[in-house]
Amino acid sequence: MAQWTSAVGAAQLARQLRAQRTRPAVPGARKPPAYRALADGVRLLVLEGRVPVAARLPAERELALALSVSRTTVAAAYEALRAEGFLESRRGAGSWTAVPAGNPLPARGLEPLPPESLGSMIDLGCASLPAPEPWLTRAVQGALEELPPYAHTHGDYPAGLPALRQMIADRYTALGVPTMPEQIMVTTGAMGAIDAICHLFAGRGERIAVESPSYANILQLMRETGARLVPVAMEEGLGGWDMNRWRQVLREAAPRLAYVVADFHNPTGALAGEDRRRALVDAARSAGTVLVVDETMNELHFDPEARMPRRVCAFDPAGSTVVTVGSASKAFWAGLRIGWVRAAPDVIRSLVAARAYADMGTPVLEQLALNWLMRTGGWEQAVRLRREQARENRDALVAAVRRELPDWEFSVPDGGLTLWVRTGGLSGSRLAVAGERVGVRVPSGPRFGVDGAFEGYVRLPFTVAGPVADEAAVRLAAAARLVGSGAGAETEAPRTFVA
């Protein structure tokens, strides 16, 4: 059986190689041989996630024609990549990209820093903000007032409290997506929702198409279910979703599921426009792929005058293709572990039935608190505060990083909670190690890729402001100096969580 999960055409690879930014030549340095330059270009595309790991490369003759070089040049480049561990080949199956087996890169996330340690360490690992008070306190007080009738029941509501299911359904309907409460299941956070979806649709060995990069915790969750991840490279900057690549992967890999974050993508911050949303739904429907859409960042748009694109599920009126996941964790508070699934009624029934063997249901008090917020208008006011705070934090962090680390590159998103930063050629894994030595925690790029991509990136969340943002950038600059001097060369230890 072939080891590749997607393919890169000769014309596509040639365009990507030609589009690479070239560094100024060092005075007096000799120009590398053509095969070496080609091998280095492919290696960089793999490390940056522009060409996925386990992607089948074009045959030597095809790539030679596309690049207008000799076949001997391509053959020598492929041989160099094989020797370095960036290419594997087998007769009859072709050649596909890889990462060196002797240099394992972190796949897991970064656990939240204990609150008692926050005084000495600036934590940029978790993209989560403190609760927007007084709304959390008011919501819990409101929930306690409404709790007594529920306390006289067994307390198990596998599909969620009927009142909250109705409330969430009504909110979708108000957005122009008619929804019945039978299409909603309340879950323990978005992670609980996606875990249930993966177990229902994608058994061990099934393929799941994912954005590359993507949300670290979800990638790890999918790995642990035994799924085979098929990465689909995002465009650079805030361009987001390359529909030609998505159509190709969905057609050729035929994944059972595809997972996307169309609203202020984590980690890049990209926002998918309506044309791409419609095209993605159409491509998934044609391939018979269930499209799982994570909307946890949807509420966090910073321009009050901006018109958000319609929800992805609006382009699937029959409800046969899109399964939507929402959550209160990013828009309100991560400690309120409430998420939900919107799907066709038969899918919801299957998820609810399977839940009896998992967590039985979501805590009643937290559901009542969220229902109180949505019913009273507290949700809108709390989210407005959250947007203002996140926007101020973004501006402070962007200014601080530009001042202290002018060689680092990024595009500034219009919403969400994350900044995806190219680190000027430094190793993100080594920066993470060096950062802890100087008092700042930051997750490295490979945590958000599949099999070691994005070594030259880190993710910075909008969770600090003012003097703390300034100090975080100063400490990151100190970490960068350590790595640049060779003092931060240790391998980053695997951890367990990125929020």
Side-chain angles (χ1 to χ4, degrees):
M1 179 178 177
Q3 300 299 305
W4 49 274
T5 56
S6 60
V8 180
Q12 177 187 346
L13 183 57
R15 284 195 301 272
Q16 290 178 276
L17 288 165
R18 293 189 181 109
Q20 284 179 327
R21 280 173 278 188
T22 56
R23 295 188 177 185
V26 177
R30 289 189 301 174
K31 185 178 180 180
Y35 85 89
R36 184 68 263 172
L38 175 55
D40 289 345
V42 173
R43 177 171 55 82
L44 183 60
L45 288 173
V46 172
L47 286 174
E48 291 194 343
R50 306 301 164 198
V51 170
V53 175
R56 187 178 187 274
L57 294 187
E60 295 171 2
R61 187 185 303 277
E62 294 174 355
L63 185 57
L65 288 171
L67 290 172
S68 299
V69 300
S70 71
R71 183 176 177 181
T72 302
T73 296
V74 177
Y78 278 16
E79 182 58 36
L81 289 167
R82 275 190 288 270
E84 295 164 2
F86 286 94
L87 196 68
E88 296 181 11
S89 304
R90 191 166 65 218
R91 187 177 297 278
S95 299
W96 56 92
T97 56
V99 292
N103 295 282
L105 294 170
R108 291 180 174 269
L110 189 71
E111 75 272 13
L113 194 66
E116 63 270 16
S117 301
L118 290 174
S120 59
M121 182 76 70
I122 298 176
D123 187 8
L124 298 181
C126 292
S128 299
L129 292 165
E133 290 288 29
W135 296 106
L136 175 62
T137 298
R138 292 180 183 177
V140 172
Q141 290 171 342
L144 287 171
E145 293 175 1
E146 297 175 8
L147 182 61
Y150 295 93
H152 294 292
T153 72
H154 51 62
D156 286 334
Y157 295 88
L161 295 185
L164 182 56
R165 296 176 73 195
Q166 182 70 63
M167 180 64 65
I168 294 170
D170 289 347
R171 293 177 70 85
Y172 277 104
T173 300
L175 291 167
V177 189
T179 305
M180 305 177 294
E182 292 81 8
Q183 291 177 261
I184 302 295
M185 181 178 83
V186 180
T187 63
T188 307
M191 290 289 289
I194 294 170
D195 182 54
I197 293 165
C198 287
H199 279 91
L200 178 63
F201 285 104
R204 183 166 294 276
E206 292 276 7
R207 290 177 175 177
I208 302 179
V210 295
E211 299 145 327
S212 182
S214 188
Y215 180 33
N217 285 349
I218 296 299
L219 295 180
Q220 188 59 28
L221 182 156
M222 291 174 175
R223 291 186 188 100
E224 293 183 356
T225 66
R228 297 178 61 193
L229 302 185
V230 183
V232 186
M234 299 278 284
E235 294 179 355
E236 289 204 51
L238 300 178
W241 297 260
D242 183 326
M243 288 313 306
N244 289 330
R245 287 175 175 169
W246 271 101
R247 291 187 188 96
Q248 180 184 11
V249 167
L250 294 177
R251 181 177 63 250
E252 296 179 357
R256 184 72 182 91
L257 290 179
Y259 169 78
V260 298
V261 184
D263 302 293
F264 307 116
H265 176 261
N266 186 353
T268 69
L271 176 67
E274 291 197 357
D275 288 347
R276 295 192 184 189
R277 293 173 187 235
R278 180 184 293 106
L280 189 56
V281 173
D282 290 345
R285 183 184 297 115
S286 297
T289 298
V290 175
L291 183 62
V292 181
V293 180
D294 187 337
E295 292 186 340
T296 55
M297 296 285 191
N298 177 271
E299 300 270 12
L300 295 176
H301 49 87
F302 297 157
D303 183 355
E305 305 301 322
R307 178 181 176 273
M308 285 289 289
R310 285 178 288 172
R311 305 292 178 104
V312 177
C313 54
F315 301 100
D316 180 38
S320 59
T321 300
V322 176
V323 175
T324 302
V325 172
S327 172
S329 295
K330 301 298 186 184
F332 186 75
W333 185 47
L336 190 68
R337 303 302 305 161
I338 302 293
W340 55 87
V341 179
R342 181 199 180 275
D346 61 320
V347 172
I348 295 297
R349 286 193 294 270
S350 297
L351 289 170
V352 171
R355 194 173 193 179
Y357 307 102
D359 64 356
M360 296 294 292
T362 303
V364 170
L365 188 63
E366 283 86 338
Q367 292 188 70
L368 288 172
L370 181 58
N371 189 60
W372 183 92
L373 282 167
M374 291 182 168
R375 190 184 71 247
T376 62
W379 174 265
E380 283 73 21
Q381 296 185 62
V383 169
R384 192 176 302 118
L385 291 174
R386 173 67 78 234
R387 290 172 186 151
E388 293 172 0
Q389 182 182 12
R391 182 175 62 248
E392 291 172 1
N393 289 1
R394 178 202 64 181
D395 294 345
L397 185 65
V398 164
V401 172
R402 282 178 171 163
R403 182 177 63 251
E404 300 294 336
L405 292 150
D407 292 339
W408 287 19
E409 302 172 66
F410 51 84
S411 297
V412 182
D414 294 323
L417 287 171
T418 58
L419 197 66
W420 185 236
V421 181
R422 188 197 297 261
T423 55
L426 299 177
S427 161
S429 297
R430 293 177 180 177
L431 279 167
V433 173
E436 296 215 17
R437 293 170 57 184
V438 298
V440 60
R441 277 186 135 190
V442 57
S444 63
R447 300 190 183 282
F448 303 90
V450 175
D451 297 326
F454 305 108
E455 183 56 55
Y457 291 80
V458 293
R459 189 196 72 173
L460 304 180
F462 310 145
T463 53
V464 293
V468 181
D470 293 338
E471 180 61 23
V474 168
R475 296 184 187 186
L476 285 171
R481 288 193 294 272
L482 283 175
V483 173
S485 68
E490 298 90 343
T491 301
E492 185 181 5
R495 294 185 175 88
T496 56
F497 191 83
V498 163

